[in-house]
């Protein structure tokens, strides 16, 4: 079959690889000049930055693409397991190292925060149980096909669904589990891994902590962007054709079947279309869907404000991943999702890939990716918000690290919800599609297909099962399983 993929985000690339490996003739249309979507890289005067994701979990999902393509995993696709998951700095002056080794992490929590060790063991056990119960139903199958729900493994999971605590918020579950409010804040943070609010999102999302703490966090030896480069090269090897600088302007539908697409005035016919474009963009711009208003009403996930700083000094107190926590986490999320702004004391994430990959910064320098959660763009005055937030971030870093960081910033670039939206056409620059701020969120995500239009499929962070690299790869697998081999 002749199949078109709209968009070369990680979901689109992975689907193209899988479908080409099944013998189909696959063509990708990408509006940008290069592949990757939100996964990008910039080079700036001797510094290299991964502009999007910094945390890599479930690397086996990338390796699975090679086995689906009957190709060996190339030796260049190498990644290291991190010993330190993250360094945490609290406003109250405490610092905590989240060791990958759970015994070391538990000792750290007991010594520094007086936590009961069994609370930590129970938390990780529960996160692992949630994964076991949900993986088959929510992550690796379409939720929207009766035949999937009737599989024995899924039925078994459905009987245990009460154990995943979907009726409780993540914060309520964490507050009940830990004595130390600092650990509650630490584990509440996992809601932000899919752009949600821990005070609203279901405790089921504690599954995210399982991926990082029980299964491990990784860093590709040559940087995050090499994930995209490898999948792109695999796609080329399997015969996928790429059209860059090609903005798809419509999906053409005849008699309730997708029959092709248009790029401006030029139309192409295809047997099937897979869209990796944000579902809101598709419904509102590429086709005339009767329910398009409904999609606009769903709450978007959070976006981000990122400063990429070339820093001409080394900071041994930092690791690859670092968090400087805000003093009032609840206020931070109320502002993010209700008032749609960034508080004056936001949680600051600093990712320094040059700690792992020395060539990412000149000698004695570091590449800082400094990010705060930001509301998805609606009508904010971003120039003003960026200016004041930068001032607040600098003050926070100076206080936590006892430095004067402004003196060491050599070069700067900025990404905001506006630039992220322009780059990827995601609604408001939301990083993870819609938020999971309700217990029904998993069911409200758009399915990977439409009942009303045949031969049209959806993949990527805005549809089932959700955003983030692993889930986008899972959605590619779900979609390609729906399309039989040639
Ligand atoms: P997208 O990345 O959304 O790409 C879609 C592609 O389709 C784009 O290239 C766009 O140009 C193209 N396109 C859209 N419409 C059209 C059209 N009409 N015609 C042609 N082309 C079109 N995830 C993690 O797992 N770990 C992290 O640490 C992490 N951190 C993040 C930090 C930041 C700053 C950002 C921005 C994201 C982060 N994410 C993280 C989220 C992750 O990057 C995304 O969930 C994932 O990359 C989304 O992939 P996707 O397949 O949905 O495609």
């Amino acid at each position: 079959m002749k199949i078109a993929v709209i968009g070369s985000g990680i979901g689109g690339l992975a689907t193209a690889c899988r479908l080409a490996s099944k013998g189909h003739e696959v063509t990708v249309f990408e509006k940008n000049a290069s592949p990757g979507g939100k996964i990008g890289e910039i080079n700036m005067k001797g510094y290299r930055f991964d502009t999007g994701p910094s945390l890599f979990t479930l690397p086996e999902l990338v390796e699975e693409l090679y086995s689906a393509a009957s190709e060996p995993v190339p030796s260049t696709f190498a990644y290291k397991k991190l010993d330190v998951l993250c360094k945490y700095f609290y406003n109250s002056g405490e610092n905590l190292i989240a060791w990958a080794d759970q015994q070391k992490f538990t000792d750290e929590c007991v010594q520094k925060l007086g936590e009961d060790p069994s609370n930590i063991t129970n938390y990780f056990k529960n996160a692992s149980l949630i994964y076991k119960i949900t993986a088959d139903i929510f992550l690796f199958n379409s939720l929207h096909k009766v035949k999937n729900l009737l599989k024995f493994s899924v039925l078994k999971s459905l009987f245990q669904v009460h154990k995943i605590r979907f009726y409780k918020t993540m914060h309520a579950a964490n507050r009940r589990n830990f004595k130390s409010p600092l650990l509650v804040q630490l584990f509440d943070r996992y809601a932000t891994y899919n752009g949600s609010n821990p005070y609203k999102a279901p405790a089921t999302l504690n599954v995210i902590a399982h991926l990082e703490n029980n299964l491990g966090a990784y860093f590709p030896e040559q940087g995050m962007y090499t994930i995209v480069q490898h999948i792109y090269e695999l796609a080329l090897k399997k015969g996928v054709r790429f059209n860059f600088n090609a903005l798809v302007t419509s999906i053409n539908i005849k008699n309730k079947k997708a029959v092709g697409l248009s790029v401006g005035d030029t139309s192409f016919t295809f047997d099937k279309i897979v869209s990796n474009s944000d579902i809101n963009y598709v419904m509102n711009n590429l086709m005339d869907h009767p329910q398009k208003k409904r999609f606009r009403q769903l709450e978007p996930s959070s976006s981000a404000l990122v400063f990429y700083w070339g820093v001409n000094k080394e900071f041994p107190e930092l690791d690859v991943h670092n968090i400087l926590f805000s003093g009032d986490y609840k206020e931070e999320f109320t502002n993010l999702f209700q008032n749609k702004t960034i508080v004056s004391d936001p949680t600051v994430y600093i990712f320094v890939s040059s700690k792992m990959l020395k060539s990412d910064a000149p000698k004695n320098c570091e590449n800082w990716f400094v990010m705060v959660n930001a509301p998805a763009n609606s009508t904010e005055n971003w120039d003003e918000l960026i200016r004041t937030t930068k001032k607040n971030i600098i003050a926070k870093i100076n206080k936590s690290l006892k430095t004067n960081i402004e003196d060491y910033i050599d070069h700067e670039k900025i990404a905001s919800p506006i630039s992220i939206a322009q780059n990827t056409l995601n609604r408001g620059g939301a990083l993870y599609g819609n938020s999971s701020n309700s217990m029904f969120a998993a069911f409200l995500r758009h399915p990977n297909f439409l009942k009303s239009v045949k031969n049209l499929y959806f993949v990527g962070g805005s549809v089932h099962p959700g955003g983030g690299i692993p889930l986008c790869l899972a959605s590619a697998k779900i979609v390609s399983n729906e399309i039989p081999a040639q």
Side-chain angles (χ1 to χ4, degrees):
M1 282 185 280
K2 273 176 71 187
I3 302 179
V5 176
I6 307 172
S8 67
I10 191 153
L13 286 174
T15 313
C17 281
R18 284 182 176 274
L19 294 177
S21 305
K22 284 183 164 186
H24 299 299
E25 200 183 308
V26 182
T27 309
V28 176
F29 293 82
E30 167 57 57
K31 80 164 182 65
N32 293 335
S34 51
K38 295 193 191 75
I39 310 178
E41 99 178 327
I42 45 176
N43 288 286
M44 179 166 73
K45 312 218 162 123
Y47 295 90
R48 190 199 71 89
F49 295 87
D50 286 306
T51 53
S54 50
L55 183 73
F56 185 33
T57 51
L58 292 183
E60 58 269 30
L61 295 182
V62 177
E63 293 184 353
E64 228 185 87
L65 292 176
Y66 288 93
S67 57
S70 308
E71 297 285 343
V73 179
S75 57
T76 46
F77 183 64
Y79 47 87
K80 280 193 188 130
K81 192 168 182 186
L82 301 180
D83 290 333
V84 172
L85 300 177
C86 189
K87 273 194 171 176
Y88 290 97
F89 300 79
Y90 292 92
N91 268 5
S92 47
E94 280 98 341
N95 299 338
L96 197 77
I97 300 177
W99 297 99
D101 180 314
Q102 284 183 9
Q103 189 54 55
K104 254 169 116 174
F105 176 59
T106 306
D107 293 346
E108 174 96 359
C109 297
V110 171
Q111 278 159 25
K112 290 195 173 159
L113 307 177
E115 187 63 42
D116 181 341
S118 65
N119 291 345
I120 295 163
T121 320
N122 288 342
Y123 178 88
F124 288 138
K125 255 197 205 150
N126 179 259
S128 159
L129 176 70
I130 299 176
Y131 185 75
K132 261 194 208 134
I133 297 173
T134 57
D136 251 354
I137 319 179
F138 292 105
L139 304 186
F140 297 116
N141 276 303
S142 170
L143 258 183
H144 311 89
K145 292 257 161 164
V146 176
K147 71 170 194 260
N148 289 336
L149 296 176
L150 292 177
K151 280 184 195 159
F152 177 68
S153 56
V154 173
L155 281 174
K156 211 171 100 193
S157 298
L158 279 174
F159 280 114
Q160 303 187 70
V161 98
H162 61 284
K163 293 186 186 161
I164 66 176
R165 299 201 258 176
F166 60 90
Y167 46 85
K168 236 186 192 176
T169 69
M170 179 188 249
H171 176 72
N174 290 343
R175 210 181 46 184
R176 206 182 151 93
N177 192 78
F178 296 106
K179 244 172 38 187
S180 163
L182 302 190
L183 278 183
V184 175
Q185 186 171 21
L186 190 157
F187 285 100
D188 277 358
R189 180 182 159 244
Y190 283 102
T192 66
Y193 282 34
N194 85 350
S196 301
N197 173 353
Y199 300 88
K200 293 264 171 77
T204 316
L205 289 194
N206 281 339
V207 69
I208 301 170
H210 169 72
L211 302 187
E212 189 174 285
N213 292 272
N214 292 334
L215 303 183
Y218 298 84
F219 187 74
E221 279 179 5
Q222 298 303 314
M224 294 296 288
Y225 192 63
T226 56
I227 301 171
V228 163
Q229 285 167 329
H230 277 91
I231 304 178
Y232 173 58
E233 275 156 27
L234 178 63
L236 288 175
K237 197 166 179 186
K238 300 316 283 182
V240 176
R241 271 181 280 182
F242 283 84
N243 292 316
F244 290 108
N245 302 306
L247 172 71
V248 172
T249 45
S250 75
I251 294 172
N252 303 329
I253 297 165
K254 230 186 202 168
N255 300 329
K256 299 188 177 173
K257 281 187 185 156
V259 293
L261 54 76
S262 300
V263 175
D265 292 338
T266 316
S267 295
F268 302 86
T269 52
F270 284 98
D271 298 307
K272 293 194 186 285
I273 312 267
V274 179
S275 170
N276 180 216
S277 187
D278 182 280
I279 191 74
N280 289 285
Y281 186 85
V282 175
M283 296 303 175
N284 286 288
N285 299 280
L286 302 188
M287 60 190 285
D288 194 20
H289 193 271
Q291 284 185 316
K292 61 185 173 194
K293 269 202 193 119
R294 186 174 84 80
F295 297 107
R296 275 194 296 236
Q297 281 156 4
L298 294 174
E299 183 185 51
S301 78
S302 57
S303 183
L305 176 58
V306 191
F307 298 89
Y308 307 98
W309 287 341
V311 171
N312 63 23
K313 182 177 159 52
E314 287 182 292
F315 286 79
E317 59 272 57
L318 293 182
D319 211 278
V320 181
H321 301 286
N322 311 274
I323 284 284
L324 318 184
F325 265 129
S326 65
D328 189 339
Y329 218 31
K330 185 154 194 193
E331 193 205 7
E332 188 173 351
F333 285 98
T334 305
N335 274 282
L336 201 53
F337 287 100
Q338 282 167 30
N339 307 339
K340 303 201 181 306
T341 190
I342 303 171
V343 282
S344 56
D345 172 30
T347 295
V348 177
Y349 168 60
I350 308 175
F351 164 54
V352 191
S353 68
S354 62
K355 298 269 183 202
M356 298 284 285
L357 183 55
K358 288 283 165 226
S359 58
D360 276 357
K363 200 163 184 275
N364 304 324
C365 300
E366 290 181 344
N367 64 339
W368 282 27
F369 163 119
V370 180
M371 177 178 130
V372 293
N373 293 316
N377 180 44
S378 42
T379 53
E380 294 68 34
N381 176 352
W382 281 102
D383 288 344
E384 183 52 31
L385 199 52
I386 291 171
R387 233 188 333 269
T388 43
T389 303
K390 181 176 169 184
K391 238 173 57 199
N392 294 334
I393 290 175
I394 286 174
K396 190 168 180 75
I397 291 174
N398 288 347
K399 196 169 163 215
S400 296
L401 304 184
K402 299 182 181 53
T403 185
N404 198 354
I405 192 65
E406 261 181 308
D407 292 348
Y408 306 109
I409 302 172
D410 253 354
H411 307 288
E412 176 184 79
K413 277 209 167 139
I414 301 175
S416 71
I418 294 186
S419 66
I420 295 169
Q422 280 165 351
N423 184 37
T424 59
L425 301 181
N426 283 128
R427 184 167 59 131
L431 302 191
Y432 302 94
N434 293 326
S435 79
S436 292
N437 290 340
S438 100
M439 67 181 187
F440 302 112
F443 302 96
L444 293 174
R445 272 193 192 273
H446 197 282
N448 304 97
F449 52 87
L450 265 182
K451 281 201 180 113
S452 55
V453 180
K454 282 218 165 83
N455 299 335
L456 178 59
Y457 303 84
F458 306 104
V459 71
S462 67
V463 294
H464 178 73
I469 295 173
L471 297 200
C472 290
L473 291 171
S475 81
K477 190 173 176 181
I478 293 170
V479 165
S480 72
N481 284 346
E482 289 298 319
I483 300 175
Q486 187 70 312

